[in-house]
Amino acid sequence: MTTTGSGILNTSSASREELVRQLTTRSPRDRNLLFRQAYQEKRKLVGNVTYLRGLIEISNICRKDCLYCGIRKSNHKVERYAIDPKEVLELAMFAWRKEYGSVVIQSGERTDREFIETITGIIKEIKKNTNNEMGITLSCGEQTEDTYRQWFEAGAHRYLLRIESSSEELFNSIHPGDGRHLFRDRMTALEILRKLGYQTGTGVMIGLPGQTAEHLADDLLFFRDFGIDMIGMGPYVPHQDTPLGILDMDSIPSPGDRLELSLRMIALARILLKDINIAASTALQALDPDGRIKAILAGANVYMPNLTPENMAKNYFLYDGKPLAKDQAQATVKELETRLKSLGETIGYGKWGDSKHYFKRFSLIPPLLEEKGRGGEVNSIPTGPGGEVKN
Ligand code: 5AD
């Protein structure tokens, strides 16, 4: 073992080999050191604050046919919905009153004019009704530069677009080869988002069929080299009504291993990418009721309570076992707060919780709003997500 007592990873200069070793080590000592280092880095670089984003899954209508995704176009078992923009505004206002600070507007991918204008209208209404105070992240797939610009000018300032895998070969193996799911297009879209000035987020699924530790190490290096501001990544969770979901379970790591790999990816991302925002993804919770708390202890600093009304959310199963909104809304935020408090963590109520990395990238001063809201005290440092969590 090459582990040293202080910091196993030489932060930003970690090699691919070292990352692979960290992802695959069976040594409990090394594993605990990794999580401890990641958590210490998190406290040092982004503090003990978890920021909230109320997640609104505004529509499951999708033009794409991703082989893993439950709302893929060809899944005719799903009832398609689009939430009325007025209701979207109400949900955003709920989030505002509860001081969530931000919302994420997520949707299946559509590129028609009506959809584009609807999103623009929703962004403008949310901004207008909250004195510009609500932060808005979009997660609406690949769009043209003009569309991204229109949404940015309307007031959205962050965008999540997962690369799914930074390996073109692996990407191609989980998407249809129909010319509509091109790795190159995804990469170009990310570049445009960054160029336009969005805080740009991406991520991958972890534990995909055919995915190796080397792929995951390369994903981390891709995040770093691209200069990504935010990461949302989590375990791949099969959905029974998808081509990938009916593959033999032997083709992917066990649920426990996918959870562990995801937590290690978060820890490594925190160490390697330092002051970016990292989400504790919902898919983690499909594998472990405590998955998202574990993610926070592994280095994540963003939590997205799902605000989608349940009658719609039941048709937004991207994967099997996805928790429903009612399990995650206000009651869960209170529960989260209590849990976090016992761990010396706080919730950044009323703050946008922007990516510090982004502001460094642009040498900008964070908006005034960032200065508002409650702060938190730093208590003792929990050792990691692997069962040492105090209740
Ligand atoms: N398992 C885990 N994540 C999934 N996503 C879609 N389907 C699945 C699945 N079966 C993720 C993709 C996509 C995001 C919106 O949801 O990474 O980018």
Side-chain angles (χ1 to χ4, degrees):
M1 283 300 112
T2 52
T3 310
T4 61
S6 62
I8 20 178
L9 267 181
N10 197 352
T11 58
S12 46
S13 65
S15 66
R16 184 180 194 235
E17 292 67 36
E18 176 61 3
L19 294 172
V20 169
R21 200 185 69 75
Q22 294 292 342
L23 288 167
T24 52
T25 181
R26 294 190 175 276
S27 151
R29 180 171 175 272
D30 283 2
R31 173 202 185 265
N32 287 339
L33 280 172
L34 167 66
F35 286 126
R36 185 170 308 183
Q37 185 183 348
Y39 189 70
Q40 280 169 349
E41 290 287 302
K42 173 188 134 153
R43 295 280 281 234
K44 196 170 81 197
L45 297 162
V46 294
N48 63 337
V49 188
T50 297
Y51 297 104
L52 300 176
R53 281 88 176 93
L55 175 63
I56 312 175
E57 295 152 333
I58 63 164
S59 173
N60 63 357
I61 302 170
C62 192
R63 62 191 281 274
K64 290 282 182 76
D65 224 1
C66 306
L67 302 178
Y68 46 85
C69 184
I71 64 165
R72 66 197 299 267
K73 188 175 180 223
S74 301
N75 183 6
H76 298 297
K77 290 193 188 168
V78 170
E79 211 180 296
R80 302 290 162 171
Y81 73 83
I83 308 183
D84 187 279
K86 286 199 193 78
E87 197 178 347
V88 177
L89 178 63
E90 274 168 32
L91 293 167
M93 295 307 284
F94 169 86
W96 188 53
R97 284 193 300 274
K98 297 290 177 191
E99 292 196 80
Y100 283 11
S102 301
V103 284
V104 177
I105 304 288
Q106 192 178 79
S107 169
E109 190 174 297
R110 275 174 62 186
T111 51
D112 53 284
R113 187 44 49 199
E114 188 193 340
F115 176 76
I116 294 165
E117 296 305 329
T118 301
I119 299 288
T120 303
I122 287 171
I123 299 166
K124 285 186 175 162
E125 281 299 307
I126 294 175
K127 283 290 176 189
K128 195 173 86 191
N129 285 277
T130 63
N131 308 322
N132 277 328
E133 283 178 17
M134 201 63 173
I136 301 180
T137 305
L138 296 179
S139 177
C140 302
E142 287 169 24
Q143 304 288 341
T144 63
E145 179 162 347
D146 283 348
T147 301
Y148 284 150
R149 186 180 298 108
Q150 181 173 326
W151 291 344
F152 189 73
E153 284 170 359
H157 61 129
R158 298 187 285 240
Y159 205 103
L160 289 170
L161 182 67
R162 288 188 178 179
I163 191 79
E164 314 298 357
S165 169
S166 64
S167 152
E168 183 161 3
E169 200 186 346
L170 187 58
F171 181 98
N172 287 340
S173 76
I174 59 169
H175 293 100
D178 59 1
R180 263 190 181 209
H181 300 73
L182 297 177
F183 182 76
R184 195 179 55 240
D185 289 349
R186 186 67 60 99
M187 200 64 94
T188 304
L190 275 173
E191 281 162 4
I192 293 170
L193 288 165
R194 182 179 57 181
K195 183 186 82 179
L196 290 176
Y198 279 97
Q199 286 173 59
T200 306
T202 193
V204 295
M205 284 178 289
I206 297 157
L208 287 163
Q211 190 180 46
T212 62
E214 282 77 12
H215 283 129
L216 292 171
D218 287 343
D219 291 337
L220 290 165
L221 295 171
F222 164 73
F223 299 152
R224 183 193 64 188
D225 296 342
F226 188 92
I228 216 73
D229 302 306
M230 330 184 281
I231 290 183
M233 61 182 169
Y236 162 61
V237 184
H239 186 295
Q240 59 189 354
D241 300 320
T242 62
L244 223 59
I246 55 173
L247 292 183
D248 202 320
M249 285 307 251
D250 290 348
S251 61
I252 56 171
S254 71
D257 285 353
R258 273 178 280 138
L259 176 72
E260 174 70 15
L261 262 181
S262 302
L263 295 172
R264 289 191 195 185
M265 283 292 282
I266 289 173
L268 290 166
R270 174 57 69 207
I271 295 168
L272 203 62
L273 291 115
K274 301 187 186 305
D275 52 1
I276 58 161
N277 277 350
I278 304 178
S281 77
T282 316
L284 285 163
Q285 203 159 322
L287 295 185
D288 179 343
D290 239 14
R292 293 198 283 181
I293 293 280
K294 290 179 179 174
I296 287 170
L297 295 181
N301 67 330
V302 168
Y303 190 99
M304 313 200 305
N306 195 334
L307 299 178
T308 313
E310 192 169 326
N311 59 336
M312 319 265 184
K314 70 177 194 293
N315 284 307
Y316 207 92
F317 284 125
L318 303 177
Y319 42 83
D320 290 334
K322 184 165 174 276
L324 272 176
K326 81 166 194 308
D327 300 328
Q328 299 176 47
Q330 193 50 20
T332 314
V333 169
K334 283 287 156 217
E335 196 187 310
L336 174 75
E337 185 171 14
T338 310
R339 288 291 302 281
L340 289 182
K341 215 168 166 185
S342 76
L343 299 163
E345 293 272 318
T346 60
I347 290 182
Y349 283 112
K351 293 186 178 181
W352 284 1
D354 280 327
S355 163
K356 288 192 179 181
H357 180 267
Y358 171 87
F359 291 105
K360 270 198 203 147
R361 189 151 71 78
F362 283 88
S363 303
L364 294 174
I365 297 161
L368 263 183
L369 194 73
E370 263 318 275
E371 310 302 325
K372 292 207 293 190
R374 284 196 238 148
E377 323 117 43
V378 179
N379 293 332
S380 62
I381 297 177
T383 49
E388 305 89 326
V389 179
K390 283 182 274 168
N391 278 306

